[in-house]
Structure formats: structure tokens, C-alpha cells
Amino acid sequence: MSRPTIGDQELALLHYLAEHEPASVGEVAAGFGEARGLARSTVLTMMERLRGKGYLKRRQARGVYRYSTATGPAEAMRSAVGSFVEKTLSGSVSPFVAYLSERAEVSDAELAELESLVAQLQSQRKER
């Protein structure tokens, strides 16, 4: 079962916490929130929402909750992309690929990764 999708700000917070875990709300508010103009209460709300969605977990240590990722940002990104494809593109990836081809700002590394993914898809189809 997939987790609920998250917004851009929540994904950024998840990336931050993945690099600084475990961290308290105060530490995240200082390191992540202040640069974005977010109040401590807003950061707490975001962290608790992410915990409720299953992306974060917390443990109490010396009277302070320390948060860490329950899943990596990559899983959150996959969930967001899956939701976008299903809801916005009616399950078809062709419009997304067409966008990429028209954009023409795909790096050599990204193009190699895309080629590898297409080869993987072709291999999976042959196995069926």
C-alpha cells in the first residue's frame, strides 16, 4: 500500500531530516525553518503530519522527541510521481516523456539513467 503524497515543503523537510537525523523540532526549526521563514510551530506541524503519513518516526530521549526518517525521500518522491501520473495524466506516462523530449534540458547523466530505465522496462516485458 502506498503512503499519502506530500507537498514540496514537506519533501524538502524530509530531505533535510534525512541528512540531519535524529533531530529535535527545535533543531529542525533552526536549521530548516529559519532559512524559509517558518515558525517553530509550523515546523512541528509539518513534522507531525509527516509522522502521521508514515514518513517520520520519533523517539523520546531525555524528555525530548528526536525525529528520524521512516522512509527515505526517494520513496516520497516515487509516491508523489505515481500520484501525479495517476491523477493528472490518467495513468499515462507518455505526456511526461513528451514533456522531457521537448524541454531538451536533460543532462547526459539523466539521459543515461532514462535509457537504463527503458532497457529495464523492455527486459521486464520480455519476461512476461
Side-chain angles (χ1 to χ4, degrees):
M1 188 174 135
S2 64
R3 287 186 167 82
T5 59
I6 63 176
D8 294 343
Q9 191 84 284
E10 288 175 318
L11 184 59
L13 189 147
L14 194 58
H15 276 285
Y16 177 86
L17 196 54
E19 295 175 6
H20 299 89
E21 64 185 344
S24 68
V25 172
E27 292 165 348
V28 176
F32 174 83
E34 285 181 13
R36 290 165 177 77
L38 302 175
R40 183 186 185 286
S41 60
T42 302
V43 171
L44 171 61
T45 299
M46 290 173 61
M47 291 173 72
E48 281 300 311
R49 282 186 183 154
L50 286 169
R51 191 171 73 88
K53 292 177 182 181
Y55 292 102
L56 294 182
K57 56 188 176 184
R58 72 178 188 190
R59 282 182 55 188
Q60 194 169 18
R62 297 185 187 143
V64 175
Y65 284 115
R66 309 284 300 169
Y67 290 78
S68 57
T69 57
T71 65
E75 184 176 327
M77 186 66 74
R78 277 192 298 277
S79 177
V81 168
S83 177
F84 173 77
V85 168
E86 291 303 317
K87 292 177 183 175
T88 306
L89 303 179
S90 301
S92 175
V93 296
S94 296
F96 185 70
V97 175
Y99 166 78
L100 289 176
S101 71
E102 293 167 5
R103 188 176 118 199
E105 294 178 15
V106 178
S107 71
D108 291 341
E110 289 172 318
L111 185 57
E113 186 176 353
L114 289 169
E115 289 170 342
S116 174
L117 291 170
V118 168
Q120 182 180 354
L121 285 170
Q122 289 172 333
S123 175
Q124 288 172 354
R125 289 188 70 168
K126 289 178 185 175
E127 292 174 4
R128 289 184 196 164

